Amino acid sequence: MIVIAALVVGSLLGWRRAAKLGGDRRDKAQYAAAFALGFAILALFATVLLDRSF
């Protein structure tokens, strides 16, 4: 569940970041994908750590 939320939040933040930098639709999509993957990987590690700690 954390990973899915991180994907959504990451993509929204990436889209917003590219829009602030003045990117076109393809730039926004690339930023959204990169941020989503990065956030998902971090969330996956957080999920594993939380699962192992309890």
Side-chain angles (χ1 to χ4, degrees):
M1 193 68 177
I2 295 172
V3 177
I4 296 170
L7 277 169
V8 172
V9 170
S11 64
L12 291 174
L13 289 176
W15 189 276
R16 184 174 170 204
R17 172 84 172 142
K20 271 188 164 181
L21 293 174
D24 63 356
R25 185 177 43 95
R26 291 179 296 170
D27 292 329
K28 292 175 187 176
Q30 183 177 2
Y31 267 74
F35 272 59
L37 287 174
F39 275 55
I41 290 171
L42 290 176
L44 182 63
F45 282 119
T47 301
V48 169
L49 288 174
L50 285 173
D51 189 41
R52 289 183 181 242
S53 68
F54 293 111

mmCIF file of all heavy atoms in Angstrom:
data_model
loop_
_atom_site.group_PDB
_atom_site.id
_atom_site.type_symbol
_atom_site.label_atom_id
_atom_site.label_comp_id
_atom_site.label_asym_id
_atom_site.label_seq_id
_atom_site.Cartn_x
_atom_site.Cartn_y
_atom_site.Cartn_z
ATOM 1 N N MET A 1 0.827 -1.198 0.000
ATOM 2 C CA MET A 1 0.000 0.000 0.000
ATOM 3 C C MET A 1 0.869 1.258 0.000
ATOM 4 O O MET A 1 0.531 2.232 -0.659
ATOM 5 C CB MET A 1 -0.900 -0.047 1.237
ATOM 6 C CG MET A 1 -1.995 0.932 1.219
ATOM 7 S SD MET A 1 -3.146 0.461 -0.076
ATOM 8 C CE MET A 1 -4.356 1.684 0.148
ATOM 9 N N ILE A 2 1.958 1.201 0.739
ATOM 10 C CA ILE A 2 2.861 2.351 0.796
ATOM 11 C C ILE A 2 3.488 2.591 -0.582
ATOM 12 O O ILE A 2 3.652 3.740 -1.001
ATOM 13 C CB ILE A 2 3.950 2.135 1.867
ATOM 14 C CG1 ILE A 2 3.326 2.088 3.259
ATOM 15 C CG2 ILE A 2 4.998 3.225 1.804
ATOM 16 C CD1 ILE A 2 4.285 1.697 4.348
ATOM 17 N N VAL A 3 3.802 1.515 -1.277
ATOM 18 C CA VAL A 3 4.452 1.643 -2.589
ATOM 19 C C VAL A 3 3.507 2.299 -3.595
ATOM 20 O O VAL A 3 3.921 3.158 -4.378
ATOM 21 C CB VAL A 3 4.926 0.262 -3.087
ATOM 22 C CG1 VAL A 3 5.528 0.371 -4.465
ATOM 23 C CG2 VAL A 3 5.924 -0.338 -2.117
ATOM 24 N N ILE A 4 2.244 1.923 -3.557
ATOM 25 C CA ILE A 4 1.274 2.516 -4.488
ATOM 26 C C ILE A 4 1.103 4.007 -4.206
ATOM 27 O O ILE A 4 1.073 4.829 -5.132
ATOM 28 C CB ILE A 4 -0.067 1.781 -4.399
ATOM 29 C CG1 ILE A 4 0.105 0.336 -4.860
ATOM 30 C CG2 ILE A 4 -1.129 2.477 -5.233
ATOM 31 C CD1 ILE A 4 -1.084 -0.543 -4.584
ATOM 32 N N ALA A 5 1.018 4.356 -2.934
ATOM 33 C CA ALA A 5 0.902 5.770 -2.572
ATOM 34 C C ALA A 5 2.147 6.544 -3.004
ATOM 35 O O ALA A 5 2.051 7.680 -3.494
ATOM 36 C CB ALA A 5 0.687 5.905 -1.074
ATOM 37 N N ALA A 6 3.310 5.940 -2.862
ATOM 38 C CA ALA A 6 4.551 6.595 -3.267
ATOM 39 C C ALA A 6 4.599 6.789 -4.780
ATOM 40 O O ALA A 6 5.105 7.811 -5.259
ATOM 41 C CB ALA A 6 5.745 5.780 -2.800
ATOM 42 N N LEU A 7 4.075 5.826 -5.531
ATOM 43 C CA LEU A 7 4.014 5.983 -6.990
ATOM 44 C C LEU A 7 3.170 7.184 -7.386
ATOM 45 O O LEU A 7 3.570 7.996 -8.237
ATOM 46 C CB LEU A 7 3.423 4.726 -7.629
ATOM 47 C CG LEU A 7 4.344 3.559 -7.883
ATOM 48 C CD1 LEU A 7 3.545 2.324 -8.256
ATOM 49 C CD2 LEU A 7 5.332 3.891 -8.966
ATOM 50 N N VAL A 8 2.019 7.307 -6.759
ATOM 51 C CA VAL A 8 1.116 8.407 -7.090
ATOM 52 C C VAL A 8 1.723 9.751 -6.689
ATOM 53 O O VAL A 8 1.753 10.702 -7.478
ATOM 54 C CB VAL A 8 -0.261 8.200 -6.424
ATOM 55 C CG1 VAL A 8 -1.143 9.410 -6.602
ATOM 56 C CG2 VAL A 8 -0.930 6.956 -6.980
ATOM 57 N N VAL A 9 2.222 9.825 -5.466
ATOM 58 C CA VAL A 9 2.811 11.080 -4.979
ATOM 59 C C VAL A 9 4.034 11.440 -5.808
ATOM 60 O O VAL A 9 4.220 12.610 -6.184
ATOM 61 C CB VAL A 9 3.160 10.965 -3.478
ATOM 62 C CG1 VAL A 9 3.980 12.146 -3.010
ATOM 63 C CG2 VAL A 9 1.904 10.836 -2.652
ATOM 64 N N GLY A 10 4.877 10.464 -6.106
ATOM 65 C CA GLY A 10 6.063 10.720 -6.907
ATOM 66 C C GLY A 10 5.741 11.225 -8.298
ATOM 67 O O GLY A 10 6.381 12.155 -8.795
ATOM 68 N N SER A 11 4.746 10.629 -8.924
ATOM 69 C CA SER A 11 4.391 11.082 -10.269
ATOM 70 C C SER A 11 3.820 12.497 -10.253
ATOM 71 O O SER A 11 4.117 13.302 -11.147
ATOM 72 C CB SER A 11 3.420 10.113 -10.928
ATOM 73 O OG SER A 11 2.210 10.074 -10.225
ATOM 74 N N LEU A 12 3.026 12.798 -9.245
ATOM 75 C CA LEU A 12 2.484 14.154 -9.149
ATOM 76 C C LEU A 12 3.592 15.181 -8.901
ATOM 77 O O LEU A 12 3.592 16.264 -9.507
ATOM 78 C CB LEU A 12 1.434 14.234 -8.042
ATOM 79 C CG LEU A 12 0.133 13.478 -8.305
ATOM 80 C CD1 LEU A 12 -0.757 13.515 -7.061
ATOM 81 C CD2 LEU A 12 -0.587 14.040 -9.507
ATOM 82 N N LEU A 13 4.520 14.848 -8.031
ATOM 83 C CA LEU A 13 5.622 15.773 -7.759
ATOM 84 C C LEU A 13 6.526 15.942 -8.981
ATOM 85 O O LEU A 13 7.006 17.041 -9.261
ATOM 86 C CB LEU A 13 6.440 15.287 -6.563
ATOM 87 C CG LEU A 13 5.771 15.403 -5.206
ATOM 88 C CD1 LEU A 13 6.653 14.787 -4.126
ATOM 89 C CD2 LEU A 13 5.465 16.851 -4.872
ATOM 90 N N GLY A 14 6.765 14.856 -9.709
ATOM 91 C CA GLY A 14 7.579 14.938 -10.922
ATOM 92 C C GLY A 14 6.919 15.784 -11.992
ATOM 93 O O GLY A 14 7.572 16.596 -12.652
ATOM 94 N N TRP A 15 5.620 15.586 -12.174
ATOM 95 C CA TRP A 15 4.872 16.381 -13.162
ATOM 96 C C TRP A 15 4.937 17.867 -12.798
ATOM 97 O O TRP A 15 5.183 18.721 -13.647
ATOM 98 C CB TRP A 15 3.426 15.900 -13.212
ATOM 99 C CG TRP A 15 2.634 16.497 -14.332
ATOM 100 C CD1 TRP A 15 2.004 17.693 -14.330
ATOM 101 C CD2 TRP A 15 2.411 15.924 -15.618
ATOM 102 N NE1 TRP A 15 1.388 17.898 -15.536
ATOM 103 C CE2 TRP A 15 1.620 16.826 -16.347
ATOM 104 C CE3 TRP A 15 2.795 14.730 -16.214
ATOM 105 C CZ2 TRP A 15 1.215 16.565 -17.642
ATOM 106 C CZ3 TRP A 15 2.385 14.477 -17.509
ATOM 107 C CH2 TRP A 15 1.609 15.396 -18.212
ATOM 108 N N ARG A 16 4.756 18.146 -11.516
ATOM 109 C CA ARG A 16 4.774 19.536 -11.043
ATOM 110 C C ARG A 16 6.160 20.162 -11.216
ATOM 111 O O ARG A 16 6.281 21.324 -11.609
ATOM 112 C CB ARG A 16 4.346 19.568 -9.584
ATOM 113 C CG ARG A 16 4.225 20.931 -9.019
ATOM 114 C CD ARG A 16 3.660 20.875 -7.629
ATOM 115 N NE ARG A 16 3.761 22.178 -7.005
ATOM 116 C CZ ARG A 16 3.782 22.383 -5.711
ATOM 117 N NH1 ARG A 16 3.674 21.365 -4.892
ATOM 118 N NH2 ARG A 16 3.896 23.580 -5.227
ATOM 119 N N ARG A 17 7.207 19.393 -10.926
ATOM 120 C CA ARG A 17 8.569 19.894 -11.058
ATOM 121 C C ARG A 17 8.879 20.247 -12.510
ATOM 122 O O ARG A 17 9.464 21.295 -12.797
ATOM 123 C CB ARG A 17 9.541 18.837 -10.543
ATOM 124 C CG ARG A 17 10.980 19.109 -10.782
ATOM 125 C CD ARG A 17 11.550 20.001 -9.732
ATOM 126 N NE ARG A 17 12.988 20.065 -9.918
ATOM 127 C CZ ARG A 17 13.684 21.157 -9.733
ATOM 128 N NH1 ARG A 17 13.095 22.233 -9.274
ATOM 129 N NH2 ARG A 17 14.973 21.163 -9.945
ATOM 130 N N ALA A 18 8.503 19.379 -13.430
ATOM 131 C CA ALA A 18 8.755 19.649 -14.849
ATOM 132 C C ALA A 18 7.949 20.842 -15.333
ATOM 133 O O ALA A 18 8.417 21.622 -16.164
ATOM 134 C CB ALA A 18 8.422 18.414 -15.681
ATOM 135 N N ALA A 19 6.746 21.004 -14.806
ATOM 136 C CA ALA A 19 5.929 22.158 -15.200
ATOM 137 C C ALA A 19 6.568 23.453 -14.714
ATOM 138 O O ALA A 19 6.564 24.460 -15.431
ATOM 139 C CB ALA A 19 4.522 22.013 -14.626
ATOM 140 N N LYS A 20 7.138 23.428 -13.514
ATOM 141 C CA LYS A 20 7.814 24.620 -12.994
ATOM 142 C C LYS A 20 9.029 24.987 -13.829
ATOM 143 O O LYS A 20 9.365 26.157 -13.973
ATOM 144 C CB LYS A 20 8.263 24.390 -11.555
ATOM 145 C CG LYS A 20 7.263 24.738 -10.518
ATOM 146 C CD LYS A 20 7.899 24.659 -9.144
ATOM 147 C CE LYS A 20 7.042 25.360 -8.129
ATOM 148 N NZ LYS A 20 7.654 25.322 -6.799
ATOM 149 N N LEU A 21 9.690 23.966 -14.377
ATOM 150 C CA LEU A 21 10.875 24.212 -15.193
ATOM 151 C C LEU A 21 10.521 24.572 -16.636
ATOM 152 O O LEU A 21 11.408 24.826 -17.438
ATOM 153 C CB LEU A 21 11.784 22.976 -15.174
ATOM 154 C CG LEU A 21 12.422 22.654 -13.826
ATOM 155 C CD1 LEU A 21 13.175 21.329 -13.895
ATOM 156 C CD2 LEU A 21 13.348 23.770 -13.389
ATOM 157 N N GLY A 22 9.239 24.554 -16.958
ATOM 158 C CA GLY A 22 8.801 24.960 -18.287
ATOM 159 C C GLY A 22 8.872 23.854 -19.325
ATOM 160 O O GLY A 22 8.982 24.136 -20.519
ATOM 161 N N GLY A 23 8.776 22.611 -18.905
ATOM 162 C CA GLY A 23 8.859 21.494 -19.835
ATOM 163 C C GLY A 23 7.560 21.265 -20.578
ATOM 164 O O GLY A 23 6.488 21.678 -20.140
ATOM 165 N N ASP A 24 7.669 20.595 -21.711
ATOM 166 C CA ASP A 24 6.465 20.251 -22.463
ATOM 167 C C ASP A 24 5.878 18.950 -21.912
ATOM 168 O O ASP A 24 6.314 18.443 -20.882
ATOM 169 C CB ASP A 24 6.755 20.159 -23.961
ATOM 170 C CG ASP A 24 7.745 19.057 -24.307
ATOM 171 O OD1 ASP A 24 8.271 18.419 -23.390
ATOM 172 O OD2 ASP A 24 7.982 18.843 -25.509
ATOM 173 N N ARG A 25 4.902 18.408 -22.600
ATOM 174 C CA ARG A 25 4.179 17.225 -22.099
ATOM 175 C C ARG A 25 5.103 16.021 -21.946
ATOM 176 O O ARG A 25 5.005 15.262 -20.994
ATOM 177 C CB ARG A 25 3.026 16.904 -23.045
ATOM 178 C CG ARG A 25 2.145 15.793 -22.576
ATOM 179 C CD ARG A 25 0.977 15.558 -23.507
ATOM 180 N NE ARG A 25 1.319 15.595 -24.909
ATOM 181 C CZ ARG A 25 1.612 14.519 -25.640
ATOM 182 N NH1 ARG A 25 1.584 13.343 -25.105
ATOM 183 N NH2 ARG A 25 1.910 14.651 -26.918
ATOM 184 N N ARG A 26 6.031 15.835 -22.876
ATOM 185 C CA ARG A 26 6.958 14.694 -22.803
ATOM 186 C C ARG A 26 7.921 14.837 -21.634
ATOM 187 O O ARG A 26 8.246 13.857 -20.964
ATOM 188 C CB ARG A 26 7.718 14.544 -24.105
ATOM 189 C CG ARG A 26 6.824 14.093 -25.256
ATOM 190 C CD ARG A 26 7.589 13.971 -26.530
ATOM 191 N NE ARG A 26 8.088 15.311 -26.903
ATOM 192 C CZ ARG A 26 8.956 15.544 -27.866
ATOM 193 N NH1 ARG A 26 9.433 14.547 -28.558
ATOM 194 N NH2 ARG A 26 9.333 16.764 -28.143
ATOM 195 N N ASP A 27 8.398 16.059 -21.385
ATOM 196 C CA ASP A 27 9.260 16.296 -20.229
ATOM 197 C C ASP A 27 8.522 15.997 -18.930
ATOM 198 O O ASP A 27 9.074 15.375 -18.014
ATOM 199 C CB ASP A 27 9.743 17.749 -20.200
ATOM 200 C CG ASP A 27 10.687 18.087 -21.330
ATOM 201 O OD1 ASP A 27 11.426 17.186 -21.770
ATOM 202 O OD2 ASP A 27 10.679 19.251 -21.767
ATOM 203 N N LYS A 28 7.278 16.433 -18.858
ATOM 204 C CA LYS A 28 6.477 16.185 -17.660
ATOM 205 C C LYS A 28 6.274 14.696 -17.434
ATOM 206 O O LYS A 28 6.367 14.216 -16.305
ATOM 207 C CB LYS A 28 5.128 16.899 -17.767
ATOM 208 C CG LYS A 28 5.250 18.401 -17.727
ATOM 209 C CD LYS A 28 3.903 19.052 -17.960
ATOM 210 C CE LYS A 28 4.038 20.550 -18.098
ATOM 211 N NZ LYS A 28 2.768 21.190 -18.422
ATOM 212 N N ALA A 29 6.017 13.959 -18.514
ATOM 213 C CA ALA A 29 5.825 12.512 -18.400
ATOM 214 C C ALA A 29 7.108 11.815 -17.954
ATOM 215 O O ALA A 29 7.077 10.898 -17.131
ATOM 216 C CB ALA A 29 5.357 11.946 -19.729
ATOM 217 N N GLN A 30 8.242 12.272 -18.474
ATOM 218 C CA GLN A 30 9.519 11.668 -18.088
ATOM 219 C C GLN A 30 9.831 11.957 -16.627
ATOM 220 O O GLN A 30 10.259 11.062 -15.896
ATOM 221 C CB GLN A 30 10.639 12.179 -18.980
ATOM 222 C CG GLN A 30 11.971 11.532 -18.666
ATOM 223 C CD GLN A 30 13.075 11.983 -19.594
ATOM 224 O OE1 GLN A 30 12.856 12.818 -20.466
ATOM 225 N NE2 GLN A 30 14.254 11.440 -19.413
ATOM 226 N N TYR A 31 9.648 13.179 -16.194
ATOM 227 C CA TYR A 31 9.865 13.522 -14.791
ATOM 228 C C TYR A 31 8.917 12.739 -13.891
ATOM 229 O O TYR A 31 9.314 12.249 -12.834
ATOM 230 C CB TYR A 31 9.661 15.023 -14.576
ATOM 231 C CG TYR A 31 10.916 15.843 -14.673
ATOM 232 C CD1 TYR A 31 11.511 16.107 -15.904
ATOM 233 C CD2 TYR A 31 11.513 16.378 -13.544
ATOM 234 C CE1 TYR A 31 12.654 16.869 -16.001
ATOM 235 C CE2 TYR A 31 12.652 17.145 -13.626
ATOM 236 C CZ TYR A 31 13.226 17.385 -14.864
ATOM 237 O OH TYR A 31 14.362 18.139 -14.950
ATOM 238 N N ALA A 32 7.663 12.627 -14.299
ATOM 239 C CA ALA A 32 6.681 11.889 -13.504
ATOM 240 C C ALA A 32 7.106 10.433 -13.361
ATOM 241 O O ALA A 32 7.030 9.860 -12.266
ATOM 242 C CB ALA A 32 5.300 11.992 -14.136
ATOM 243 N N ALA A 33 7.555 9.816 -14.436
ATOM 244 C CA ALA A 33 7.980 8.417 -14.380
ATOM 245 C C ALA A 33 9.215 8.242 -13.507
ATOM 246 O O ALA A 33 9.291 7.313 -12.696
ATOM 247 C CB ALA A 33 8.257 7.911 -15.786
ATOM 248 N N ALA A 34 10.185 9.134 -13.660
ATOM 249 C CA ALA A 34 11.416 9.023 -12.881
ATOM 250 C C ALA A 34 11.140 9.229 -11.388
ATOM 251 O O ALA A 34 11.645 8.471 -10.545
ATOM 252 C CB ALA A 34 12.435 10.041 -13.370
ATOM 253 N N PHE A 35 10.366 10.223 -11.057
ATOM 254 C CA PHE A 35 10.033 10.472 -9.653
ATOM 255 C C PHE A 35 9.220 9.320 -9.081
ATOM 256 O O PHE A 35 9.436 8.904 -7.941
ATOM 257 C CB PHE A 35 9.263 11.786 -9.514
ATOM 258 C CG PHE A 35 10.124 13.006 -9.356
ATOM 259 C CD1 PHE A 35 11.053 13.359 -10.315
ATOM 260 C CD2 PHE A 35 9.986 13.827 -8.249
ATOM 261 C CE1 PHE A 35 11.832 14.485 -10.181
ATOM 262 C CE2 PHE A 35 10.754 14.967 -8.101
ATOM 263 C CZ PHE A 35 11.691 15.302 -9.073
ATOM 264 N N ALA A 36 8.281 8.803 -9.855
ATOM 265 C CA ALA A 36 7.455 7.695 -9.383
ATOM 266 C C ALA A 36 8.309 6.469 -9.087
ATOM 267 O O ALA A 36 8.127 5.814 -8.049
ATOM 268 C CB ALA A 36 6.381 7.362 -10.412
ATOM 269 N N LEU A 37 9.241 6.143 -9.968
ATOM 270 C CA LEU A 37 10.110 4.997 -9.735
ATOM 271 C C LEU A 37 11.009 5.212 -8.520
ATOM 272 O O LEU A 37 11.199 4.296 -7.710
ATOM 273 C CB LEU A 37 10.965 4.721 -10.970
ATOM 274 C CG LEU A 37 10.242 4.118 -12.152
ATOM 275 C CD1 LEU A 37 11.165 4.037 -13.362
ATOM 276 C CD2 LEU A 37 9.724 2.745 -11.802
ATOM 277 N N GLY A 38 11.555 6.390 -8.402
ATOM 278 C CA GLY A 38 12.410 6.687 -7.247
ATOM 279 C C GLY A 38 11.662 6.590 -5.931
ATOM 280 O O GLY A 38 12.139 5.972 -4.973
ATOM 281 N N PHE A 39 10.495 7.178 -5.893
ATOM 282 C CA PHE A 39 9.690 7.126 -4.677
ATOM 283 C C PHE A 39 9.244 5.699 -4.368
ATOM 284 O O PHE A 39 9.202 5.291 -3.218
ATOM 285 C CB PHE A 39 8.467 8.033 -4.810
ATOM 286 C CG PHE A 39 8.729 9.470 -4.457
ATOM 287 C CD1 PHE A 39 9.740 10.189 -5.069
ATOM 288 C CD2 PHE A 39 7.951 10.113 -3.515
ATOM 289 C CE1 PHE A 39 9.977 11.506 -4.758
ATOM 290 C CE2 PHE A 39 8.172 11.448 -3.191
ATOM 291 C CZ PHE A 39 9.197 12.144 -3.815
ATOM 292 N N ALA A 40 8.928 4.929 -5.402
ATOM 293 C CA ALA A 40 8.488 3.551 -5.199
ATOM 294 C C ALA A 40 9.616 2.697 -4.635
ATOM 295 O O ALA A 40 9.391 1.856 -3.753
ATOM 296 C CB ALA A 40 7.987 2.959 -6.500
ATOM 297 N N ILE A 41 10.827 2.895 -5.106
ATOM 298 C CA ILE A 41 11.968 2.139 -4.579
ATOM 299 C C ILE A 41 12.212 2.492 -3.116
ATOM 300 O O ILE A 41 12.433 1.606 -2.280
ATOM 301 C CB ILE A 41 13.218 2.388 -5.442
ATOM 302 C CG1 ILE A 41 13.042 1.725 -6.805
ATOM 303 C CG2 ILE A 41 14.475 1.871 -4.761
ATOM 304 C CD1 ILE A 41 14.099 2.083 -7.817
ATOM 305 N N LEU A 42 12.156 3.778 -2.792
ATOM 306 C CA LEU A 42 12.315 4.178 -1.398
ATOM 307 C C LEU A 42 11.206 3.613 -0.517
ATOM 308 O O LEU A 42 11.455 3.150 0.598
ATOM 309 C CB LEU A 42 12.347 5.706 -1.290
ATOM 310 C CG LEU A 42 13.580 6.392 -1.854
ATOM 311 C CD1 LEU A 42 13.422 7.913 -1.770
ATOM 312 C CD2 LEU A 42 14.823 5.952 -1.119
ATOM 313 N N ALA A 43 9.992 3.609 -1.025
ATOM 314 C CA ALA A 43 8.874 3.065 -0.264
ATOM 315 C C ALA A 43 9.003 1.553 -0.095
ATOM 316 O O ALA A 43 8.619 1.005 0.935
ATOM 317 C CB ALA A 43 7.558 3.404 -0.953
ATOM 318 N N LEU A 44 9.532 0.883 -1.105
ATOM 319 C CA LEU A 44 9.742 -0.556 -1.000
ATOM 320 C C LEU A 44 10.732 -0.876 0.109
ATOM 321 O O LEU A 44 10.500 -1.776 0.923
ATOM 322 C CB LEU A 44 10.239 -1.110 -2.332
ATOM 323 C CG LEU A 44 10.463 -2.605 -2.408
ATOM 324 C CD1 LEU A 44 9.145 -3.349 -2.199
ATOM 325 C CD2 LEU A 44 11.087 -2.977 -3.729
ATOM 326 N N PHE A 45 11.827 -0.134 0.178
ATOM 327 C CA PHE A 45 12.784 -0.324 1.267
ATOM 328 C C PHE A 45 12.153 -0.020 2.616
ATOM 329 O O PHE A 45 12.380 -0.735 3.597
ATOM 330 C CB PHE A 45 14.034 0.538 1.060
ATOM 331 C CG PHE A 45 14.987 -0.027 0.044
ATOM 332 C CD1 PHE A 45 15.301 0.696 -1.094
ATOM 333 C CD2 PHE A 45 15.559 -1.279 0.209
ATOM 334 C CE1 PHE A 45 16.181 0.189 -2.035
ATOM 335 C CE2 PHE A 45 16.443 -1.805 -0.723
ATOM 336 C CZ PHE A 45 16.749 -1.063 -1.855
ATOM 337 N N ALA A 46 11.369 1.040 2.683
ATOM 338 C CA ALA A 46 10.693 1.386 3.939
ATOM 339 C C ALA A 46 9.725 0.279 4.354
ATOM 340 O O ALA A 46 9.632 -0.066 5.543
ATOM 341 C CB ALA A 46 9.953 2.705 3.784
ATOM 342 N N THR A 47 9.022 -0.292 3.392
ATOM 343 C CA THR A 47 8.089 -1.375 3.688
ATOM 344 C C THR A 47 8.823 -2.595 4.230
ATOM 345 O O THR A 47 8.384 -3.217 5.203
ATOM 346 C CB THR A 47 7.303 -1.759 2.420
ATOM 347 O OG1 THR A 47 6.611 -0.618 1.952
ATOM 348 C CG2 THR A 47 6.321 -2.866 2.704
ATOM 349 N N VAL A 48 9.946 -2.938 3.617
ATOM 350 C CA VAL A 48 10.721 -4.088 4.082
ATOM 351 C C VAL A 48 11.255 -3.825 5.481
ATOM 352 O O VAL A 48 11.194 -4.706 6.353
ATOM 353 C CB VAL A 48 11.855 -4.409 3.092
ATOM 354 C CG1 VAL A 48 12.824 -5.426 3.677
ATOM 355 C CG2 VAL A 48 11.295 -4.887 1.777
ATOM 356 N N LEU A 49 11.763 -2.631 5.709
ATOM 357 C CA LEU A 49 12.278 -2.309 7.050
ATOM 358 C C LEU A 49 11.185 -2.344 8.100
ATOM 359 O O LEU A 49 11.385 -2.857 9.204
ATOM 360 C CB LEU A 49 12.965 -0.942 7.040
ATOM 361 C CG LEU A 49 14.298 -0.885 6.318
ATOM 362 C CD1 LEU A 49 14.805 0.561 6.266
ATOM 363 C CD2 LEU A 49 15.321 -1.770 6.991
ATOM 364 N N LEU A 50 10.029 -1.819 7.783
ATOM 365 C CA LEU A 50 8.925 -1.834 8.724
ATOM 366 C C LEU A 50 8.430 -3.267 8.994
ATOM 367 O O LEU A 50 8.096 -3.610 10.120
ATOM 368 C CB LEU A 50 7.762 -0.983 8.204
ATOM 369 C CG LEU A 50 7.948 0.523 8.291
ATOM 370 C CD1 LEU A 50 6.796 1.229 7.578
ATOM 371 C CD2 LEU A 50 8.002 0.955 9.745
ATOM 372 N N ASP A 51 8.418 -4.069 7.946
ATOM 373 C CA ASP A 51 7.964 -5.449 8.100
ATOM 374 C C ASP A 51 8.930 -6.258 8.977
ATOM 375 O O ASP A 51 8.499 -7.068 9.789
ATOM 376 C CB ASP A 51 7.820 -6.102 6.735
ATOM 377 C CG ASP A 51 7.151 -7.449 6.797
ATOM 378 O OD1 ASP A 51 6.172 -7.572 7.566
ATOM 379 O OD2 ASP A 51 7.583 -8.355 6.070
ATOM 380 N N ARG A 52 10.204 -6.023 8.811
ATOM 381 C CA ARG A 52 11.187 -6.764 9.585
ATOM 382 C C ARG A 52 11.310 -6.273 11.022
ATOM 383 O O ARG A 52 11.752 -7.012 11.887
ATOM 384 C CB ARG A 52 12.548 -6.695 8.919
ATOM 385 C CG ARG A 52 12.593 -7.506 7.653
ATOM 386 C CD ARG A 52 13.976 -7.485 7.058
ATOM 387 N NE ARG A 52 13.996 -8.256 5.834
ATOM 388 C CZ ARG A 52 14.747 -9.335 5.684
ATOM 389 N NH1 ARG A 52 15.531 -9.738 6.654
ATOM 390 N NH2 ARG A 52 14.716 -9.966 4.536
ATOM 391 N N SER A 53 10.925 -5.048 11.278
ATOM 392 C CA SER A 53 11.065 -4.512 12.634
ATOM 393 C C SER A 53 9.921 -4.917 13.543
ATOM 394 O O SER A 53 10.056 -4.828 14.761
ATOM 395 C CB SER A 53 11.179 -2.991 12.578
ATOM 396 O OG SER A 53 9.960 -2.425 12.156
ATOM 397 N N PHE A 54 8.821 -5.381 12.986
ATOM 398 C CA PHE A 54 7.679 -5.765 13.832
ATOM 399 C C PHE A 54 7.413 -7.231 13.775
ATOM 400 O O PHE A 54 7.587 -8.005 13.040
ATOM 401 C CB PHE A 54 6.408 -5.009 13.429
ATOM 402 C CG PHE A 54 6.490 -3.557 13.710
ATOM 403 C CD1 PHE A 54 6.552 -2.631 12.684
ATOM 404 C CD2 PHE A 54 6.528 -3.087 15.020
ATOM 405 C CE1 PHE A 54 6.611 -1.282 12.936
ATOM 406 C CE2 PHE A 54 6.594 -1.738 15.277
ATOM 407 C CZ PHE A 54 6.638 -0.836 14.244
#
